[in-house]
Amino acid sequence: MQDREIENSMGDTGFKKLSERDKKHIWHPLTQHQTAAPRLGIVKAEGALIWDEEGNEYIDGIASWYTAMYGHCHPHIVNALTKQMNTLDFVMFSGFTHQPAIDLSEKLIELLPKNQEKLFFNDNGSTAIEAGIKMAMQYYHNKGIKRNTLIAFENGFHGDTFAAMSASGLSSYNGPFEDFLLQVKRIPVPQEDTIDEVIQALETIIAENSCIAFVFEPLVQGAAGMKFHSAKGLDTLIKKCRENDILTLADEIMTGFGKTGKNFASDHLHHKPDIICLSKALTAGMFPLSITSCSLQVYNAFLSDEVSKGFFHAHTFSAHPLGCTAALASLELLNAAEIVDRREYIEEAHRQFVAKIEGHDKVESARSIGVILAVDLKIKSDRYGSLRDELYTFFMKEGVNLRPLGNTIYTLPPYVITDAQLQKIYNVIVQALELF
């Protein structure tokens, strides 16, 4: 990167580094500031690469939390946003509508599972889950049915707002708030050899509780360490819920838009969820936006001459025209020939890498689905323990942005990553196996 580009990024604040200026006022997420190192100042991004203020280059091996799947600053999305912001920047979505939202609704419904018919717009992944759980709760309230219990997987993660935290099962995020959360009963994720016992656990919960909805990450639990579970087992759980008039809510915030080899993880299932939550790759990271979609069965429960039976839930920036435009441009790329080719290449490269390292004496397990690759080390580590920090520091020094989850190293690269960049990710993972 040119020195002038770095100087320009400092504006009128002299030569003080971004990482130094950052410390004065900013409180970062997932950070213990008493012990954390200074945050790295990033000044530029393009394709699968990001650059810091010193001019160092890094491969974004996790697409910035599984979001920039078409690479950073993709010109197709940038051009669409630039055109839109000169036409309609923003208008409230209560009482008004606009073309980007309508176009997006029509395009997205074509791609979603066929039982999805209505879209509700939110700001981010957590608020998409929040809206989805509130929809499920009010669905029964509007029918005059009292229910009070959610069903969720052990070790799931669905966000940081209160209903989303309630459905989540990771105490490292929820610990201080557990006395205030909704009532939730948990079941283990089904594996091929545990389906019957998980179904039995679900049946017991249904028999002993008034259940609202089953909330789940389909096929892959992201924050749990990219843990996979059986599509057949999940399908059976959804079927059982449907037989007992319990709504099902799929959290596709991480898995959606091609990451598991299909447009949505729910496409691997025969029985489709009633509610689906989307964010992250929805706009390729270009704009904060999320969507909670649902079936007509859910939507129709809110239709009434009684105003109070409407869904009185709102976000100021719902269906932001720029966010909808970014999402539309992203969807145009999702199944474009060159992106599909790269998705298939990454999927096959991951399979070959898993075969190469799964017998390594430091590897507990290795697995992949679609563009998601995860490697569990035979070393115990807390989620934010010293091993995780040492691995992260090593990867960054080698020019690769990977954020291990405890003892799990994973990559979920942008679809546009080059062969050489992907190989470098594999190489640094192998190097880490020899060093740690």
Side-chain angles (χ1 to χ4, degrees):
M1 180 179 292
Q2 298 296 319
D3 290 343
R4 184 171 299 279
E5 284 186 71
I6 297 170
E7 290 174 10
N8 288 344
S9 74
M10 298 179 183
D12 298 325
T13 59
F15 294 93
K16 202 169 186 180
K17 292 173 65 176
L18 295 177
S19 56
E20 288 297 314
R21 291 168 56 198
D22 174 274
K23 292 189 292 185
K24 187 172 182 179
H25 299 298
I26 295 178
W27 190 343
H28 283 270
L30 304 180
T31 301
Q32 174 47 265
H33 282 276
Q34 181 75 14
T35 57
R39 305 295 88 182
L40 189 65
I42 299 299
V43 297
K44 184 182 177 183
E46 183 179 350
L49 300 174
I50 56 177
W51 288 268
D52 69 18
E53 58 191 322
E54 302 293 342
N56 298 310
E57 177 184 288
Y58 307 90
I59 299 169
D60 192 355
I62 60 170
S64 288
W65 272 342
Y66 349 124
T67 300
M69 296 309 300
Y70 311 100
H72 294 279
C73 301
H74 194 290
H76 179 69
I77 307 174
V78 170
N79 291 339
L81 275 171
T82 302
K83 181 179 179 181
Q84 179 60 44
M85 69 177 60
N86 285 308
T87 304
L88 173 63
D89 56 349
F90 172 69
V91 66
M92 60 189 283
F93 207 56
S94 181
F96 297 102
T97 190
H98 51 75
Q99 185 168 341
I102 295 168
D103 288 349
L104 177 57
S105 71
E106 293 169 348
K107 180 64 175 176
L108 189 55
I109 288 295
E110 290 178 2
L111 293 176
L112 282 166
K114 296 307 179 187
N115 68 329
Q116 300 298 291
E117 290 287 350
K118 295 289 182 177
L119 308 182
F120 189 90
F121 290 90
N122 319 278
D123 297 333
N124 58 64
S126 294
T127 58
I129 297 292
E130 201 80 8
I133 291 175
K134 286 178 69 176
M135 279 180 191
M137 296 172 76
Q138 190 176 342
Y139 171 87
Y140 293 104
H141 175 83
N142 283 359
K143 290 174 172 286
I145 301 170
K146 289 189 176 182
R147 299 198 177 185
N148 61 4
T149 303
L150 296 173
I151 306 165
F153 282 141
E154 296 169 354
N155 299 317
F157 179 75
H158 301 284
D160 295 318
T161 52
F162 266 80
M165 278 196 299
S166 297
S168 301
L170 294 172
S171 60
S172 56
Y173 298 104
N174 298 349
F177 313 104
E178 288 182 351
D179 290 344
F180 308 97
L181 302 179
L182 302 172
Q183 181 168 305
V184 180
K185 300 295 181 182
R186 302 193 186 281
I187 56 177
V189 296
Q191 304 298 346
E192 289 297 319
D193 58 347
T194 65
I195 294 173
D196 289 343
E197 75 179 67
V198 176
I199 287 294
Q200 186 173 7
L202 176 63
E203 288 175 337
T204 300
I205 290 171
I206 292 172
E208 296 177 354
N209 298 273
S210 298
C211 297
I212 300 164
F214 170 36
V215 183
F216 58 91
E217 297 163 272
L219 303 192
V220 185
Q221 289 185 298
M226 298 299 165
K227 305 301 186 192
F228 299 174
H229 55 270
S230 162
K232 177 184 176 182
L234 179 56
D235 214 30
T236 307
L237 292 172
I238 295 171
K239 181 175 183 287
K240 180 63 66 174
C241 286
R242 184 150 295 140
E243 290 170 354
N244 288 273
D245 189 30
I246 296 167
L247 294 177
T248 55
L249 188 158
D251 177 351
E252 292 255 18
I253 290 158
M254 188 276 286
T255 54
F257 303 103
K259 300 192 192 82
T260 64
K262 295 181 181 288
N263 287 333
F264 303 98
S266 298
D267 291 334
H268 292 270
L269 307 173
H270 174 70
H271 298 284
K272 307 303 182 185
D274 301 293
I275 299 169
I276 298 178
C277 297
L278 307 168
S279 191
K280 291 192 180 288
L282 172 66
T283 67
M286 287 283 190
F287 205 91
L289 186 75
S290 67
I291 284 173
T292 305
S293 71
C294 70
S295 66
L296 276 182
Q297 176 188 340
V298 173
Y299 175 78
N300 286 342
F302 293 79
L303 301 180
S304 173
D305 291 333
E306 298 176 48
V307 173
S308 63
K309 287 192 174 181
F311 191 46
F312 276 69
H313 177 97
H315 299 277
T316 299
F317 298 112
S318 289
H320 198 296
L322 300 183
C324 292
T325 298
L328 270 167
S330 298
L331 291 183
E332 289 166 355
L333 294 172
L334 175 61
N335 290 309
E338 62 272 22
I339 295 296
V340 171
D341 287 347
R342 292 309 299 168
R343 285 164 50 188
E344 292 175 350
Y345 175 86
I346 296 166
E347 184 171 6
E348 178 57 28
H350 280 357
R351 279 196 288 261
Q352 292 180 18
F353 184 68
V354 166
K356 174 183 176 182
I357 67 163
E358 59 186 351
H360 194 285
D361 59 5
K362 290 185 181 178
V363 173
E364 183 70 32
S365 67
R367 58 197 173 276
S368 68
I369 181 173
V371 301
I372 304 169
L373 166 72
V375 180
D376 296 336
L377 304 182
K378 287 183 180 177
I379 307 171
K380 297 301 180 185
S381 174
D382 293 335
R383 173 170 295 273
Y384 294 106
S386 59
L387 172 65
R388 180 266 173 206
D389 292 343
E390 290 169 12
L391 285 167
Y392 173 73
T393 300
F394 168 75
F395 291 136
M396 290 298 287
K397 283 182 178 178
E398 294 298 315
V400 180
N401 175 33
L402 296 177
R403 291 175 59 92
L405 294 161
N407 67 338
T408 300
I409 301 169
Y410 76 94
T411 182
L412 205 170
Y415 299 142
V416 298
I417 194 167
T418 67
D419 297 5
Q421 290 164 348
L422 186 59
Q423 187 58 53
K424 183 173 181 178
I425 292 175
Y426 297 151
N427 290 345
V428 298
I429 292 174
V430 170
Q431 289 175 47
L433 296 178
E434 304 303 328
L435 294 173
F436 293 91

